[in-house]
Amino acid sequence: MVFKYNFKEIEEKWQNEWENKNIFKVVEDKNKEKFYILEMFPYPSASGLHIGHAFNYIIGDIYTRYKIMQGFNVLHPMGYDSLGLPAENAAIKEGVHPKDYTEKAIANFISQQKKLGLSYDWSRMFMTHDPRYYKWDQWIFLKMYEKGIAFRKKAPVNWCPKCETVLANEQVHNGKCWRHKDTEVEIKQLEQWFFKITEYAEKLYDDIDKLKDWPEDVKAMQKNWIGKSYGTEIFFEINNKKWKVFTTRPDTIYGVTFMVISAQHPNLMELVTEEQKDKVLEFISKIKYTREEDIEKLEKKGVFTGSYATNPLTKEKIPVYVGNFVVAEYGSGMIMAVPAHDQRDFEFAKKYNLPIKVVIQPQDSELNNYEMEEAYTGDGLLVNSDQFNGMDNKEAIKAITKYLEEKGLGKRTIQFRLKDWLISRQRYWGTPIPIIYCDKCGIVPVPENELPVILPYNVIFDKGNPLATNKEFINVKCPKCNGNARRETDTMDTFVNSSWYFLRYCDPFNEKQIFDRERVDYWTPIDVYIGGKEHACMHLIYFRFYTKFLKELGLVNIDEPVIKLFNQGMVHGEDGAVMSKSRGNVVLPEEVSEKYGIDTARLFLVSNASPTKDIRWSESGIAGSLRFIKKILTYFDNVKVGKSTAKVESKLNKAIVKISRDIEEFNYNLAIIKLRNLFEYFGKEESIHTLETFLKLLHPFCPHITEELWRRLGNKSFIIQEKWPIADESKISPEIEKQERNIERLYEDITNIKRILGKGKKAYIYVLPDEITIYKEAKKELEKKTMLEIHIYAVNDKNKYDPHNKASKSKPGKPAVYIE
Ligand code: ANZ
Ligand code: ZN
Ligand code: ZN
């Protein structure tokens, strides 16, 4: 009888059962060990979810089911990062309100996710545009304001004329808007809100080494992003005032021949003399804003400011230039230029005919001030450096710094590349910043008991920020003097919302406080965090920063939010390109579910490669997974429940050990190979234990059919609530394992011989008499795998067919082979 199977029916049935019986709902339980699994916070795009997105959730789901069966109390929540620019832009384009637009998108997202059979505790679901959530964004903001971490300053900002909003540095890619890839980003000076993440730079940097279970490349990217430099701050006197300069090369101080201040330095004009003023103003109006990533390629340009600096050691007077290759935001925004040993300075000196003075002499050649074609940046011995002459330059870095410190002319310092986090957005669809401006009292934070500051629903979308033109929103009484005042109309960067959501999942609807400390202590940190590499720097740094801030407030007791970070690969479409709507190569889960069943798709997604690798969707691949699933279904429909052989038991127990380890390490593909392998050994009759164990091992990958088959075996329970199998290692027979390996080797011998012959229909195998049963058992399997007709003889069989007398070559565990 051919098995009739309606995937859709089975899937819906079990999804409903799990939901109705609250199978994945969890509460804190001190007697159970917790495990927190989280996939990165999705932005609910209106185009919904394709199989590529689904991959991420399925990886988390497999792990969750495995951990639940292992007896952990597993928190696996889901919610939506629903504020942000895309919703606002799309809403404007389509004339729908962002709230309605987003909520519709979320409803669609949820229904799609539910069809994947995901093990979420849906009772914890929240969306960040819900005032009950963003109230606490505002509350954290107030705490940061209190501690001086949230602050306001006038700052040059990246402005996308198309988005009509400020962009974070990270949202500028090669000078263009990340969203509008053809739009040049402009620079504007605006009063902005910032979070002083730089105060945490050192901690964020140093603690990266504690993240033992994070991918090395992500850690390297974060280190690079935070950018720690050990160096020296040196004081130069200019016009009777001390100016600081940051250098990593104090050993070159005798080679400084000019200074360069950034064209965007806030105090630049203090240095510019009357005669030079016009030239400087013209220069700064002409050049582009200096960005660190552009410096290397940039044509180095500058103008003399008219001022001179005094080198603190040589007392020489050296000219101060304003230049385009010094960034305002790094170090002190001014450099000591050493053209002999820094390529940027070298290019500048060549262009403006400034002196080049060698102070580091390499061991193997002699540098000459006049003949250099590029800077010498390597190591060597100091020359032209007074009492430091002859010293190794690495030594000189320490010695000169010490000398400067003794004389009060400088000090050792550490410099970070990380910039303060600009959180102001001139946009509607974000968390309102809880600040009021009063002419009398200045900046006044909204009192805590007046939170949340609600984002008004009725606004007019025109150009720019709709809040800025909304009188009802703006006009407010000052909390201090009760006079007329104005609300801040900037909203927060949406990365704010995703910086602490994992904590709220522990206590999602608390109205009295941000979350209950005990509940958070129970669940945190996140044990496994699953998401794409694109979040390596922004989200994951902000997330770590919030954790550290909240720890200082005494709200959490963890330093780091995540123990293990798992980056999944990308899913590519049939055409080989990354699956995306714009490419038109997306596969939708509902289509797949209709055609193959979602269990088949889940199996396929993790079968062919480690989930860390990119995978390619293929109809033939998924057909292969479907064949396996059908085989399993047909098998369970026909199998006789009875006894399993010692061999099957050995295989089964070995598989338990290996599959558990594979899942634990996210080697899902290897687990599947072992499951398939195990299945091959099953006979017409197997014990109930064997059959049930197989279903349990398969469950994390194919949750629906395994629940179904579990019931068909007569169980009343949910398989997901069963215990993960534990191997009985005493049943793993070394003898059987050895025979398996022998048969495997025989198979390889046969294929090799066949390949050398270039043909063959029949294979004759000569085995020692006491091994004949083992090899006869394997006959069918060998025939199938080698596609040859196989004859097995004991070597002492008088009737054997053996034209080349091969039987005499047979050894224990190594049969002889003859092919014709
Ligand atoms: C003198 C010198 C001599 C330098 C030499 C280098 C080589 P890190 O921290 O590793 O990136 N610098 C300092 N502030 C700068 C700014 N605001 N914009 C552009 N460049 C800046 O490198 C620090 C070095 O970058 C500093 O050391 C300084 O140049 C430059 F043979 O000072 B150095
Ligand atoms: Zn843009
Ligand atoms: Zn006031």
Side-chain angles (χ1 to χ4, degrees):
M1 192 187 85
V2 179
F3 199 85
K4 281 275 178 304
Y5 216 88
N6 185 333
F7 289 114
K8 212 173 159 199
E9 209 171 275
I10 302 276
E11 285 165 15
E12 270 171 20
K13 171 175 156 195
W14 292 106
Q15 285 160 16
N16 290 335
E17 287 266 335
W18 293 325
E19 184 155 358
N20 296 338
K21 301 271 161 55
N22 289 319
I23 298 295
F24 301 112
K25 191 167 166 170
V26 284
V27 289
E28 300 76 62
D29 179 351
K30 292 260 148 65
N31 299 316
K32 263 174 115 184
E33 206 181 326
K34 70 92 186 180
F35 203 89
Y36 189 173
I37 302 178
L38 188 62
E39 293 114 48
M40 286 180 188
F41 213 16
Y43 164 74
S45 130
S47 50
L49 193 129
H50 60 63
I51 273 292
H53 303 126
F55 188 41
N56 179 240
Y57 309 124
I58 289 167
I59 292 168
D61 186 66
I62 291 169
Y63 215 77
T64 302
R65 289 175 184 273
Y66 164 69
K67 282 289 167 187
I68 290 175
M69 291 174 84
Q70 276 196 325
F72 287 91
N73 195 22
V74 183
L75 176 59
H76 186 216
M78 178 47 59
Y80 302 92
D81 193 6
S82 48
L83 289 166
L85 215 48
E88 188 166 346
N89 287 342
I92 292 167
K93 217 162 129 196
E94 292 166 35
V96 204
H97 193 282
K99 181 168 186 285
D100 305 330
Y101 178 91
T102 306
E103 287 177 359
K104 196 173 146 203
I106 291 173
N108 178 39
F109 228 78
I110 292 176
S111 107
Q112 282 192 301
Q113 280 180 317
K114 288 194 170 171
K115 288 191 183 117
L116 298 170
L118 304 176
S119 49
Y120 295 128
D121 177 353
W122 285 108
S123 73
R124 292 172 188 259
M125 190 272 287
F126 56 74
M127 319 176 232
T128 57
H129 73 281
D130 183 338
R132 288 173 300 176
Y133 182 84
Y134 68 64
K135 167 179 177 172
W136 301 106
D137 279 330
Q138 295 173 338
W139 186 83
I140 297 173
F141 179 97
L142 293 180
K143 294 289 155 203
M144 288 196 179
Y145 184 73
E146 243 174 74
K147 306 270 176 218
I149 298 296
F151 69 104
R152 212 168 122 84
K153 69 172 179 195
K154 195 160 202 147
V157 293
N158 307 302
W159 179 266
C160 170
K162 275 216 184 127
C163 294
E164 288 190 54
T165 191
V166 173
L167 302 177
N169 284 338
E170 304 84 33
Q171 293 169 325
V172 180
H173 297 162
N174 298 322
K176 305 247 162 68
C177 171
W178 69 326
R179 213 173 318 247
H180 302 108
K181 300 202 164 53
D182 55 341
T183 305
E184 197 81 26
V185 171
E186 297 166 7
I187 300 300
K188 271 197 178 185
Q189 291 281 341
L190 276 182
E191 284 278 332
Q192 304 284 304
W193 284 99
F194 286 85
F195 286 163
K196 205 177 274 169
I197 191 171
T198 50
E199 204 161 302
Y200 292 79
E202 184 147 31
K203 265 194 194 156
L204 287 168
Y205 188 94
D206 292 349
D207 286 355
I208 291 173
D209 291 331
K210 291 191 197 160
L211 305 173
K212 299 273 177 268
D213 240 345
W214 281 39
E216 289 304 323
D217 55 348
V218 171
K219 291 197 275 187
M221 281 157 88
Q222 289 214 354
K223 282 198 170 174
N224 191 30
W225 188 273
I226 299 169
K228 187 175 187 175
S229 284
Y230 294 90
T232 309
E233 211 169 62
I234 303 180
F235 312 135
F236 282 77
E237 209 177 281
I238 311 174
N239 306 337
N240 299 320
K241 205 182 136 187
K242 254 197 214 167
W243 290 72
K244 283 182 204 161
V245 153
F246 174 71
T247 178
T248 46
R249 296 291 307 273
D251 52 325
T252 63
I253 186 157
Y254 287 87
V256 179
T257 55
F258 58 99
M259 310 284 283
V260 185
I261 182 169
S262 167
Q264 286 91 28
H265 196 291
N267 304 329
L268 160 66
M269 292 319 286
E270 287 179 27
L271 295 182
V272 180
T273 58
E274 222 25 72
E275 303 89 84
Q276 291 300 105
K277 201 169 173 180
D278 290 346
K279 278 191 196 138
V280 169
L281 288 177
E282 195 200 329
F283 171 72
I284 57 179
S285 74
K286 268 204 201 137
I287 59 162
K288 274 205 183 170
Y289 197 88
T290 308
R291 268 177 230 288
E292 183 145 13
E293 56 275 23
D294 303 333
I295 289 182
E296 212 184 313
K297 281 176 268 158
L298 200 76
E299 190 198 341
K300 278 70 183 171
K301 285 190 217 163
V303 175
F304 181 44
T305 60
S307 291
Y308 290 86
T310 312
N311 182 323
L313 292 194
T314 64
K315 306 294 175 202
E316 270 172 300
K317 291 260 182 207
I318 47 179
V320 180
Y321 278 71
V322 51
N324 68 343
F325 65 105
V326 178
V327 295
E329 296 87 0
Y330 188 66
S332 64
M334 184 192 277
I335 63 158
M336 55 179 234
V338 185
H341 304 293
D342 182 300
Q343 186 58 25
R344 299 163 292 186
D345 304 346
F346 182 85
E347 288 166 32
F348 193 85
K350 280 282 168 196
K351 178 160 179 149
Y352 297 106
N353 252 319
L354 291 158
I356 293 170
K357 182 179 168 195
V358 171
V359 289
I360 310 285
Q361 204 51 263
Q363 308 278 34
D364 49 1
S365 62
E366 183 110 352
L367 294 176
N368 177 316
N369 296 344
Y370 306 101
E371 287 166 12
M372 289 174 84
E373 274 164 17
E374 56 178 12
Y376 174 71
T377 57
D379 292 330
L381 302 181
L382 265 66
V383 292
N384 300 322
S385 300
D386 290 353
Q387 76 254 44
F388 301 100
N389 281 343
M391 200 182 258
D392 174 85
N393 79 299
K394 288 255 162 58
E395 287 302 310
I397 290 179
K398 290 181 213 147
I400 292 180
T401 302
K402 191 160 165 261
Y403 183 77
L404 289 166
E405 279 184 332
E406 281 163 8
K407 300 259 166 191
L409 299 171
K411 61 173 204 274
R412 258 164 42 130
T413 179
I414 293 171
Q415 193 63 51
F416 291 95
R417 193 144 265 122
L418 186 71
K419 311 236 160 56
D420 282 328
W421 176 10
L422 168 62
I423 61 136
S424 277
R425 295 290 179 276
Q426 287 68 43
R427 278 289 185 159
Y428 166 70
W429 196 235
T431 303
I433 293 175
I435 288 289
I436 290 168
Y437 299 100
C438 170
D439 287 339
K440 257 196 243 151
C441 315
I443 298 177
V444 185
V446 173
E448 247 177 63
N449 61 8
E450 286 175 24
L451 296 182
V453 175
I454 301 251
L455 191 64
Y457 182 82
N458 289 318
V459 288
I460 297 159
F461 293 98
D462 199 0
K463 286 233 148 172
N465 179 3
L467 290 181
T469 51
N470 188 305
K471 295 254 160 15
E472 249 171 80
F473 178 78
I474 294 175
N475 294 330
V476 64
K477 292 284 175 228
C478 168
K480 269 197 188 156
C481 71
N482 208 31
N484 289 337
R486 288 168 294 118
R487 273 194 202 285
E488 172 61 82
T489 59
D490 284 356
T491 56
M492 300 183 204
D493 180 4
T494 51
F495 277 114
V496 164
N497 308 93
S498 54
S499 289
W500 66 282
Y501 74 113
F502 74 107
L503 297 167
R504 187 73 176 170
Y505 278 137
C506 301
D507 188 12
F509 304 108
N510 199 325
E511 288 179 11
K512 299 208 175 63
Q513 44 180 337
I514 181 165
F515 43 71
D516 178 82
R517 169 78 196 251
E518 262 182 52
R519 299 186 74 184
V520 163
D521 284 354
Y522 176 77
W523 291 115
T524 57
I526 300 166
D527 294 280
V528 178
Y529 196 32
I530 303 168
K533 278 232 160 70
E534 66 277 16
H535 291 296
C537 285
M538 291 190 262
H539 165 58
L540 287 174
I541 287 179
Y542 299 147
F543 191 59
R544 297 180 57 224
F545 157 60
Y546 259 64
T547 304
K548 291 183 189 304
F549 177 76
L550 294 174
K551 165 112 195 249
E552 276 177 16
L553 283 191
L555 289 174
V556 298
N557 72 8
I558 47 170
D559 287 314
E560 287 290 336
V562 171
I563 296 178
K564 181 180 177 69
L565 176 68
F566 184 86
N567 292 133
Q568 84 275 10
M570 300 284 266
V571 178
H572 295 237
E574 288 246 57
D575 61 353
V578 172
M579 202 176 269
S580 78
K581 197 176 172 230
S582 59
R583 266 258 167 193
N585 63 352
V586 297
V587 176
L588 299 177
E590 42 273 35
E591 288 167 13
V592 177
S593 167
E594 199 83 33
K595 258 166 110 176
Y596 306 102
I598 216 64
D599 283 351
T600 309
R602 291 171 57 120
L603 188 69
F604 167 72
L605 284 170
V606 298
S607 279
N608 293 327
S610 150
T612 54
K613 297 265 163 20
D614 287 1
I615 52 166
R616 187 161 170 172
W617 184 262
S618 94
E619 292 287 321
S620 64
I622 194 158
S625 293
L626 183 61
R627 275 196 300 280
F628 182 47
I629 297 238
K630 278 190 173 155
K631 248 200 230 165
I632 293 170
L633 295 171
T634 316
Y635 176 79
F636 273 82
D637 214 30
N638 295 302
V639 66
K640 198 169 135 220
V641 178
K643 267 183 143 176
S644 290
T645 60
K647 182 169 169 184
V648 166
E649 291 205 337
S650 176
K651 289 283 143 202
L652 183 74
N653 285 290
K654 188 97 194 239
I656 294 172
V657 176
K658 288 191 165 172
I659 291 170
S660 307
R661 201 178 49 214
D662 287 339
I663 299 181
E664 187 73 45
E665 292 165 2
F666 285 89
N667 290 321
Y668 296 164
N669 57 322
L670 303 183
I672 305 282
I673 291 173
K674 282 154 203 158
L675 269 167
R676 279 177 175 263
N677 226 315
L678 172 64
F679 185 69
E680 288 298 315
Y681 286 96
F682 286 1
K684 290 199 171 72
E685 173 183 329
E686 291 299 342
S687 73
I688 188 79
H689 174 255
T690 300
L691 297 172
E692 291 190 349
T693 302
F694 177 77
L695 290 181
K696 288 180 190 172
L697 295 174
L698 180 64
H699 176 76
F701 306 101
C702 301
H704 306 91
I705 60 159
T706 46
E707 283 287 8
E708 182 70 18
L709 294 174
W710 178 256
R711 287 289 163 102
R712 281 187 195 215
L713 287 177
N715 293 297
K716 298 264 182 313
S717 58
F718 287 92
I719 193 170
I720 177 65
Q721 291 187 320
E722 292 294 318
K723 286 278 150 299
W724 188 253
I726 294 173
D728 179 350
E729 309 229 6
S730 71
K731 296 229 165 104
I732 302 176
S733 148
E735 195 48 40
I736 291 173
E737 290 302 317
K738 198 172 134 206
Q739 288 166 9
E740 281 307 317
R741 278 197 301 277
N742 289 344
I743 288 165
E744 191 54 33
R745 207 170 316 132
L746 172 61
Y747 162 69
E748 280 163 18
D749 286 350
I750 297 172
T751 24
N752 281 338
I753 297 169
K754 194 177 146 193
R755 205 185 45 235
I756 293 164
L757 284 178
K759 57 178 189 299
K761 282 208 176 81
K762 296 178 183 173
Y764 301 88
I765 316 289
Y766 313 100
V767 306
L768 298 186
D770 57 341
E771 291 178 346
I772 186 121
T773 33
I774 304 166
Y775 286 99
K776 282 213 158 143
E777 265 180 32
K779 183 174 161 215
K780 268 236 180 81
E781 185 195 332
L782 284 170
E783 286 192 324
K784 211 167 80 190
K785 282 165 78 177
T786 58
M787 302 205 290
L788 295 173
E789 187 183 309
I790 290 189
H791 300 269
I792 299 175
Y793 299 107
V795 289
N796 58 359
D797 185 343
K798 292 207 174 60
N799 300 321
K800 64 178 182 291
Y801 173 73
D802 188 7
H804 285 85
N805 193 22
K806 292 268 182 197
S808 62
K809 301 232 167 76
S810 179
K811 292 190 190 99
K814 191 163 178 9
V817 180
Y818 171 66
I819 293 182
E820 49 171 45

